[in-house]
Amino acid sequence: MSKEGPTPAMRQFYEMKKKYPDTVLFFQMGDFYETFGEDAEVVSRELEITLTSRGRDVNGEKMPLAGVPIHAGEMYIARLVRKGYRVAICDQVEDPKKAKGIVKRDVVRIITPGTIIDSEMLGNSGSSYLMSVFPDKKNKEYGIAFLDISTGEFFISSCNASSGFSDLNSEISKYQPAECIIPVSSSSGLSENLKKLGVIVTSYSDSAFDLKFAGDYLKNHFHVSSLEGYGCLGMDSSICAAGACLSYACETQMTDLNYIRNFSTKISSNNMILDAVTLRNLEILENIKSGGPDSSLFGILNETKTPMGSRILKKFITSPLVSKAEIDRRLDSVGYFYDLPMIRSSLREHLHKFYDIERIASRISYGNAGPRDLNALKDSLEKITDIKSDFDSSPSEIPYLVTESLRKISDMEDIRKLIAKAVCDEPPVNARVGGVIREGYALSLDELRDISVSGKDWIASFQQSERERTGIKSLKVGYNKVFGYFIEVTKSNSKNVPPEYVRKQTTVNGERYTLPVLQEKESLIANAEEKVSALEYEIYQELIEKIKPYVETIQTTARNIGLLDVYANLAAISHSRNYIRPVIEDSKRLLINNGRHPVVERNIQNFVPNDADLDSSDNQILIITGANMAGKSTYMREVALICIMAQTGCFVPADTAVIGIVDRIFTRVGAFDDLASGQSTFMVEMLELANILNNVTPESLVILDEIGRGTSTLDGFSIAKAVLEFLHGTKQEGPRTLFATHFHEMVEIEADLKRVRNYHFAVRETGDDVVFLRKLIPGATDRSYGIHVAKLAGIPSKVIKRSEIILKEEQEKQYDPKSGRKMPRYTQLLLIDNPEPVSSPRKEDPVLKKLKSIDPNSVNPREALALLYELKKEAGDDNN
């Protein structure tokens, strides 16, 4: 920058930065993306790139500068976007050689966390959702839309807002969006809640969420006169979210995204509801300790062979079906591959060679598909003929869902042949660098290449002839962009240079010369090479345009390849792990024989299986007692996971299983302090419990582990008992419930509530040693073996011995010293919670009162003996 003011290029930069102030502007200058000012400081800090300076800014201060090579731009941009930054790409939009004055530049795309489409940035096979939330205060609901622009998937939903953010958070946990747009006027509470869940929040114009604007925008995009055909009639808040979502995506990508051909409506009643708490507690997608997919249900079931299959399986697991017919259809498909290992194995071998053609289709439509993408598409489509041929000799009838997928898969022979003819076998990543189009595809390109190649051959021949003519063996003909072709001679040989050589440049080690004949050839070769590069890129773009009409067919093929992958994957896992096909019923029965926890059994040897027998009319609630570490939590999670697997359409780890369809699974397992919001363990427990009690239905499955432990013993016991009574109901059947507790007196409820049954985990005691058998058996127990667990955990022996003494002392306090009888439970709880003496009016003992009323002079010996027996009985001595 000069003292007179910004250079023309910097004026361009300031103009673009003014238009996109909330982005990091990557400004193309030749072969580099440069960033300036505050953007440069961000890039330097976040990407660990050296910060330099160039000229001065408008205030006369040194202008910070940080740049990256364009060929490595995607990698650096991806790192910035993953950190939550929005990056604007400002490219040179005309050939610098043809520019009159300053080369034209313009922002061609804004990359945000939710609008990534480039393969290098996406990095994995998972979905990358842009989420949109519209808070509808009038109807007390959130309209929701999800869009994955890397695949074209687009759907809407809605959830209740009257209970706070719990339902919204469940949707976020299920789909894990990379970015969420909300209206500018939204409450700070919504934004804070989203950020707390790790979602990057972007405020977007309120007008984009307007119902008329959103509806018109969607209709214009899909070229329809009404949205009724999409099943969203009456879902105004969701339409607002969807219109804003698509508008934001098109605005940032600066294209119409026409490969997004439709959107779907997800209605919660069509699927089992798994809220955020349940997804976490059951470790459906992530392991609680590591935060990754390892040792989660998804992690141990995901052995799919394609990225499309992996994404579909994740959706299946987080949204199990509730229709018996639909579940049985999926089970039929899995069962087909289960019974036919040859077809299953062959299919999975073919699928293993498939690329992510769903995302490739989106890049083709967007226009940024690379040559290797096209070859990957061609190689994948070539496997479809083999896949279909696997089923030609099927020994049994092919199930409906498999038949439908095979029908919708196309090998697109015309596209395969076109790509094979046009693109060479090992092209570069970027089409702009040349070397992409196969020889023989375009005659005009071949002719230019011949000129270029022959020119280079002439240069090699010219170098050899000049060495022989001058006698300078080290003479070389070189080339650079500044000086073109030149003859290079070392200083020691400069005396042998012929007089007709024209000096062009002096270097440290020698001199550079030229000749008229070399200059003539240089012009011919340079023009040919420049034309080859331009023509080749033009031909490549024409090739992309020829493939674009097939994008929808590619997307349909990709999704159905993914479905076949999921069916075969679940069959392979079921076969190798000894899973069985569950029986699905429209009932409230849950009968599992020798069930196993699908994740835990993968990590330990000799897993002990257990049964489950639940139904709303008899065994509605199981109260489970037993030792710490006996397996209560594992068992309850096991039952829930088997239900999820069954309704996903997967076989289950058991000997037999009858699953009455579950509409929703609620869990309250474990405890933790929500320090970020200042909520205690007990408050978190009560909030989760309130969600369960307010939303549970007779078709639900409820898992409760240690309710009431976060507060005083008496309060906790009272809450736990009241919860059980509420879930049991009176005449009406309640939800199937597994209730683990250390309040051993809870087992007395079995006598009061007809649909409650007591179970406990067996323990074998041998002297001071305890063996946890991990087997659930009928009946109750009143021991927790906490000290034995402490001993196993490595607590110092001194502490263990002292614990045993204290335990014995406390147990003795539970007996009335006068009568020697065990005190009622409520009395024990009062003593525990209120160690100080309770000041209350003293009541006279009924035995003493009766004794005082007897006149010894008015009774004979026989009557006196009878009174004595009666008094002893009232005093609690039945041994008469």
Side-chain angles (χ1 to χ4, degrees):
M1 210 177 303
S2 67
K3 293 181 180 179
E4 290 76 21
T7 64
M10 289 310 299
R11 283 198 294 271
Q12 275 188 332
F13 167 78
Y14 282 122
E15 182 182 339
M16 294 302 166
K17 186 63 181 174
K18 188 176 180 180
K19 288 182 180 179
Y20 305 98
D22 58 344
T23 67
V24 176
L25 186 63
F26 272 48
F27 192 77
Q28 184 184 2
M29 299 190 79
D31 294 332
F32 276 77
Y33 278 130
E34 303 286 10
T35 60
F36 300 97
E38 292 181 0
D39 289 350
E41 292 173 355
V42 168
V43 167
S44 175
R45 180 179 68 250
E46 300 289 1
L47 302 181
E48 299 177 350
I49 291 173
T50 302
L51 183 68
T52 60
S53 63
R54 174 183 294 172
R56 297 187 180 276
D57 61 20
V58 291
N59 298 316
E61 302 292 333
K62 284 187 176 181
M63 172 66 87
L65 167 72
V68 299
I70 285 180
H71 68 82
E74 277 192 10
M75 177 185 69
Y76 289 109
I77 292 168
R79 287 170 59 189
L80 276 178
V81 171
R82 278 195 291 268
K83 292 174 180 285
Y85 292 96
R86 292 158 48 89
V87 178
I89 307 299
C90 185
D91 281 344
Q92 294 176 176
V93 293
E94 70 171 337
D95 187 341
K97 294 180 180 178
K98 299 177 181 179
K100 294 180 179 179
I102 187 69
V103 63
K104 291 180 182 178
R105 294 179 176 88
D106 203 356
V107 171
V108 297
R109 183 181 172 201
I110 299 172
I111 304 173
T112 76
T115 59
I116 297 173
I117 197 169
D118 311 84
S119 57
E120 293 294 323
M121 296 187 195
L122 287 164
N124 58 50
S125 61
S127 297
S128 178
Y129 288 114
L130 169 67
M131 182 183 187
S132 174
V133 176
F134 175 67
D136 187 342
K137 296 178 182 178
K138 180 180 177 182
N139 296 311
K140 295 183 178 180
E141 68 176 12
Y142 292 112
I144 305 170
F146 286 95
L147 172 61
D148 183 348
I149 73 166
S150 72
T151 64
E153 182 187 13
F154 189 21
F155 61 90
I156 63 171
S157 182
S158 64
C159 65
N160 185 11
S162 59
S163 58
F165 299 120
S166 59
D167 289 352
L168 178 63
N169 292 351
S170 297
E171 294 295 299
I172 293 168
S173 297
K174 191 181 298 182
Y175 298 109
Q176 300 173 325
E179 179 183 9
C180 182
I181 63 169
I182 61 176
V184 171
S185 60
S186 296
S187 68
S188 59
L190 174 60
S191 177
E192 290 169 3
N193 175 72
L194 292 164
K195 291 176 182 177
K196 181 180 172 184
L197 296 174
V199 180
I200 293 168
V201 180
T202 301
S203 294
Y204 193 47
S205 170
D206 284 356
S207 61
F209 290 88
D210 175 76
L211 179 60
K212 186 178 187 311
F213 171 87
D216 289 345
Y217 195 92
L218 291 168
K219 285 185 282 188
N220 290 336
H221 179 87
F222 297 123
H223 306 292
V224 295
S225 59
S226 171
L227 298 176
E228 288 187 29
Y230 297 97
C232 58
L233 189 64
M235 300 180 67
D236 289 355
S237 62
S238 299
I239 291 172
C240 292
C245 191
L246 187 59
S247 170
Y248 177 81
C250 292
E251 184 178 298
T252 56
Q253 303 314 292
M254 300 182 180
T255 182
D256 58 7
L257 300 179
N258 56 15
Y259 63 92
I260 301 171
R261 304 296 172 92
N262 53 50
F263 69 99
S264 60
T265 302
K266 292 190 182 295
I267 302 173
S268 59
S269 60
N270 295 337
N271 300 90
M272 180 196 292
I273 298 174
L274 300 172
D275 61 26
V277 174
T278 298
L279 289 170
R280 181 199 68 211
N281 287 341
L282 296 182
E283 299 180 304
I284 304 296
L285 297 177
E286 296 179 341
N287 179 269
I288 290 176
K289 290 183 179 178
S290 68
D294 295 341
S295 296
S296 68
L297 181 64
F298 174 67
I300 63 108
L301 292 182
N302 185 24
E303 292 184 4
T304 53
K305 299 298 183 180
T306 69
M308 297 84 73
S310 178
R311 290 193 289 270
I312 290 172
L313 178 62
K314 190 173 185 179
K315 294 183 183 73
F316 279 10
I317 290 174
T318 55
S319 299
L321 300 168
V322 292
S323 163
K324 180 182 184 307
E326 290 183 27
I327 297 169
D328 282 334
R329 277 181 175 177
R330 275 195 197 163
L331 289 170
D332 289 344
S333 301
V334 173
Y336 173 80
F337 290 112
Y338 185 99
D339 294 334
L340 299 173
M342 294 293 290
I343 290 180
R344 181 181 75 235
S345 177
S346 179
L347 172 64
R348 284 168 62 79
E349 180 62 29
H350 295 318
L351 292 175
H352 183 65
K353 300 170 185 175
F354 256 78
Y355 294 88
D356 197 342
I357 62 173
E358 189 173 30
R359 283 181 170 168
I360 290 173
S362 298
R363 291 197 287 274
I364 289 170
S365 182
Y366 186 77
N368 70 338
R372 294 183 185 178
D373 284 333
L374 299 191
N375 274 354
L377 173 62
K378 177 203 66 174
D379 294 343
S380 298
L381 295 178
E382 285 175 350
K383 304 293 180 294
I384 289 177
T385 301
D386 295 332
I387 287 173
K388 289 192 172 184
S389 67
D390 286 339
F391 298 89
D392 290 342
S393 57
S394 174
S396 59
E397 183 180 355
I398 302 174
Y400 172 79
L401 291 181
V402 176
T403 301
E404 281 296 288
S405 288
L406 289 170
R407 182 178 64 81
K408 294 175 182 177
I409 291 170
S410 171
D411 67 355
M412 289 165 272
E413 184 178 4
D414 292 347
I415 292 300
R416 289 193 291 112
K417 288 182 177 179
L418 177 63
I419 296 172
K421 183 180 178 182
V423 182
C424 63
D425 291 334
E426 296 183 1
V429 175
N430 193 327
R432 290 182 181 276
V433 302
V436 173
I437 302 301
R438 190 185 295 275
E439 185 178 350
Y441 178 73
L443 180 61
S444 56
L445 180 63
D446 290 345
E447 290 174 350
L448 280 174
R449 281 175 171 168
D450 287 342
I451 294 173
S452 177
V453 170
S454 63
K456 289 179 180 178
D457 290 342
W458 182 90
I459 292 293
S461 175
F462 174 76
Q463 175 178 278
Q464 184 60 34
S465 65
E466 285 301 294
R467 284 179 177 178
E468 293 173 357
R469 184 170 77 89
T470 62
I472 303 172
K473 301 294 184 183
S474 61
L475 179 148
K476 292 189 299 183
V477 177
Y479 175 83
N480 65 37
K481 291 183 178 180
V482 177
F483 294 101
Y485 283 99
F486 53 80
I487 302 167
E488 188 167 43
V489 178
T490 59
K491 286 183 178 179
S492 59
N493 288 302
S494 59
K495 59 181 179 297
N496 299 322
V497 170
E500 63 270 23
Y501 273 29
V502 179
R503 183 183 285 107
K504 291 187 73 173
Q505 183 187 17
T506 299
T507 65
V508 175
N509 298 317
E511 301 286 345
R512 290 176 176 175
Y513 305 89
T514 189
L515 287 171
V517 66
L518 181 60
Q519 289 176 318
E520 290 176 15
K521 217 57 174 169
E522 176 188 326
S523 176
L524 183 66
I525 296 170
N527 286 337
E529 287 182 344
E530 187 177 316
K531 288 178 180 178
V532 164
S533 179
L535 181 59
E536 185 167 4
Y537 186 68
E538 182 181 323
I539 291 170
Y540 181 78
Q541 291 300 107
E542 291 173 354
L543 176 64
I544 292 291
E545 291 300 317
K546 290 179 181 178
I547 300 173
K548 277 185 179 181
Y550 292 83
V551 163
E552 189 170 5
T553 305
I554 298 169
Q555 289 174 326
T556 300
T557 295
R559 286 167 190 155
N560 284 279
I561 285 291
L563 286 169
L564 291 178
D565 188 13
V566 171
Y567 303 145
N569 166 72
L570 294 179
I573 285 174
S574 298
H575 188 271
S576 66
R577 299 179 192 172
N578 196 30
Y579 293 175
I580 56 93
R581 175 170 178 159
V583 176
I584 306 299
E585 291 185 345
D586 280 320
S587 73
K588 298 185 182 71
R589 188 160 63 135
L590 190 55
L591 183 62
I592 300 170
N593 177 242
N594 283 332
R596 313 184 304 275
H597 192 296
V599 179
V600 175
E601 77 162 346
R602 301 287 296 161
N603 299 320
I604 67 170
Q605 293 181 338
N606 303 319
F607 184 91
V608 179
N610 276 295
D611 300 339
D613 186 0
L614 284 163
D615 65 72
S616 292
S617 60
D618 187 17
N619 298 354
Q620 178 205 333
I621 299 175
L622 303 189
I623 296 179
I624 304 170
T625 51
N628 295 295
M629 285 184 62
K632 298 190 296 296
S633 296
T634 297
Y635 169 74
M636 294 192 297
R637 287 182 172 98
E638 166 191 311
V639 172
L641 290 176
I642 287 174
C643 291
I644 291 169
M645 291 172 68
Q647 291 181 222
T648 291
C650 181
F651 286 17
V652 299
D655 289 352
T656 60
V658 178
I659 309 297
I661 291 174
V662 175
D663 69 348
R664 185 165 184 170
I665 295 179
F666 292 96
T667 60
R668 171 56 215 165
V669 178
F672 62 95
D673 281 341
D674 190 348
L675 298 177
S677 63
Q679 293 176 344
S680 67
T681 299
F682 183 64
M683 187 59 178
V684 171
E685 180 180 349
M686 291 301 101
L687 287 171
E688 293 180 5
L689 187 58
N691 177 54
I692 295 172
L693 300 181
N694 288 324
N695 294 287
V696 72
T697 74
E699 288 74 33
S700 302
L701 174 65
V702 180
I703 307 295
L704 298 175
D705 192 1
E706 308 297 348
I707 289 297
R709 294 190 72 190
T711 187
S712 69
T713 311
L714 182 57
D715 283 351
F717 173 76
S718 303
I719 292 170
K721 184 175 181 180
V723 167
L724 268 189
E725 291 174 350
F726 178 89
L727 292 173
H728 182 272
T730 51
K731 297 179 181 179
Q732 184 181 2
E733 294 178 345
R736 289 156 286 183
T737 303
L738 298 175
F739 188 99
T741 184
H742 279 288
F743 294 130
H744 297 295
E745 284 68 21
M746 293 287 290
V747 301
E748 298 169 5
I749 295 177
E750 184 184 51
D752 301 326
L753 303 177
K754 65 178 182 179
R755 296 189 298 276
V756 173
R757 299 290 178 267
N758 287 322
Y759 281 82
H760 72 281
F761 277 87
V763 172
R764 180 189 297 133
E765 293 187 62
T766 307
D768 291 334
D769 293 328
V770 171
V771 178
F772 301 117
L773 302 179
R774 307 192 189 284
K775 196 69 179 176
L776 187 71
I777 58 177
T781 183
D782 62 354
R783 294 198 61 187
S784 296
Y785 298 94
I787 293 177
H788 293 277
V789 174
K791 188 176 181 180
L792 291 173
I795 298 295
S797 58
K798 186 176 181 180
V799 176
I800 296 296
K801 289 177 181 178
R802 178 58 183 155
S803 299
E804 291 170 342
I805 293 170
I806 294 171
L807 176 64
K808 187 175 181 181
E809 291 174 350
E810 291 299 321
Q811 287 174 336
E812 290 174 353
K813 291 179 183 178
Q814 294 180 9
Y815 290 86
D816 186 340
K818 293 183 179 179
S819 66
R821 299 181 67 192
K822 190 172 182 178
M823 291 184 290
R825 175 61 185 171
Y826 68 84
T827 307
Q828 296 174 29
L829 293 175
L830 276 174
L831 289 174
I832 293 170
D833 287 336
N834 303 283
E836 296 299 323
V838 180
S839 64
S840 59
R842 185 174 179 182
K843 293 184 178 180
E844 187 174 11
D845 189 283
V847 176
L848 183 61
K849 183 178 181 181
K850 190 166 187 177
L851 188 60
K852 286 181 179 179
S853 66
I854 299 173
D855 182 4
N857 297 318
S858 63
V859 294
N860 60 41
R862 183 183 292 276
E863 290 173 334
L865 185 61
L867 279 169
L868 182 59
Y869 275 107
E870 186 179 340
L871 290 170
K872 283 196 69 177
K873 186 175 181 179
E874 288 189 28
D877 188 353
D878 295 327
N879 188 23
N880 52 21

